[in-house]
Amino acid sequence: MTVTTLDLKTAFVIIDLQKGLVSYPTIQPVPDVAAKASFLAKAFRERGLPVVLVNVAGRAPGRTEQPRPTQHPPTDWAELLPELNAQESDIRVTKRTWGAFPHTDLESKLREAGVTQIVVAGVATSIGVESTAREAYGLGFNVTLATDAMTDMDEAAHENSVQKIFPKLGETGTVKEIVELLDGR
């Protein structure tokens, strides 16, 4: 276990576990990742800690070398997965960039709630999860990454994030290890 502690005010941030991404060819099936994220969200809610549900509903403008889809996604593409059991008390953020902080009110909502640490999970490890973790670290939040509650379309990219990038941004651990830390507080 490399995750050592959780601050008194830690929030759980779930990235892009939404209907439009369920069918993507990921290294861990999205429904399995959603089940683990749901379990961790329940643990946070039971302890009165914030849960943040993030979905993506667009793309940042700008040129890329990789072609962008020309067809519009289905109308329910950005809907959160029902397995997350969204609650009224959850913080909801819709983003149009890779990370959850730019052009959203996530930072102000977390600061208002007194949050000093976030636990991050979701899709894709090397894109939305890593971008959000990098941004949180840059904003001064302590960062923990629930490595068994995330997945990616590219195994090498996932492994690079987990093995090389995440240890520089914070601590990593499994859902079980994080819940054990919650229980020990």
Side-chain angles (χ1 to χ4, degrees):
M1 173 166 86
T2 42
V3 58
T4 60
T5 190
L6 295 175
D7 295 353
L8 289 177
K9 271 304 218 175
T10 298
F12 180 38
V13 180
I14 304 170
I15 304 294
D16 301 347
L17 287 179
Q18 60 193 59
K19 290 182 179 180
L21 298 177
V22 171
S23 64
Y24 278 38
T26 55
I27 59 174
Q28 294 285 347
V30 171
D32 294 349
V33 171
K36 287 183 178 175
S38 179
F39 180 81
L40 193 51
K42 182 177 185 249
F44 269 73
R45 290 179 189 120
E46 286 173 349
R47 289 156 182 83
L49 294 170
V51 172
V52 180
L53 303 173
V54 180
N55 69 329
V56 62
R59 295 177 184 258
R63 288 187 299 274
T64 63
E65 289 184 15
Q66 184 173 347
R68 294 176 183 238
T70 55
Q71 61 192 22
H72 293 288
T75 55
D76 66 347
W77 193 87
E79 286 181 24
L80 295 167
L81 296 178
E83 300 94 290
L84 298 177
N85 193 26
Q87 302 292 305
E88 277 296 314
S89 60
D90 294 341
I91 298 168
R92 294 185 188 222
V93 174
T94 296
K95 65 185 179 76
R96 286 173 172 70
T97 59
W98 284 2
F101 286 95
H103 313 293
T104 72
D105 59 356
L106 179 56
E107 180 184 8
S108 64
K109 287 183 177 183
L110 293 175
R111 301 270 187 223
E112 185 178 294
V115 170
T116 57
Q117 180 172 5
I118 65 168
V119 173
V120 189
V123 178
T125 307
S126 65
I127 300 175
V129 173
E130 183 177 316
S131 295
T132 299
R134 284 175 181 263
E135 293 158 359
Y137 177 79
L139 291 169
F141 290 98
N142 292 316
V143 177
T144 297
L145 297 122
T147 56
D148 61 342
M150 61 181 68
T151 191
D152 203 296
M153 283 62 79
D154 182 324
E155 188 168 3
H158 172 84
E159 289 303 320
N160 184 68
S161 294
V162 171
Q163 300 296 324
K164 301 209 185 268
I165 304 299
F166 292 169
K168 295 174 183 175
L169 298 175
E171 297 182 321
T172 60
T174 65
V175 167
K176 181 179 184 272
E177 292 167 338
I178 293 165
V179 171
E180 286 172 357
L181 284 175
L182 286 171
D183 288 341
R185 293 170 14 143

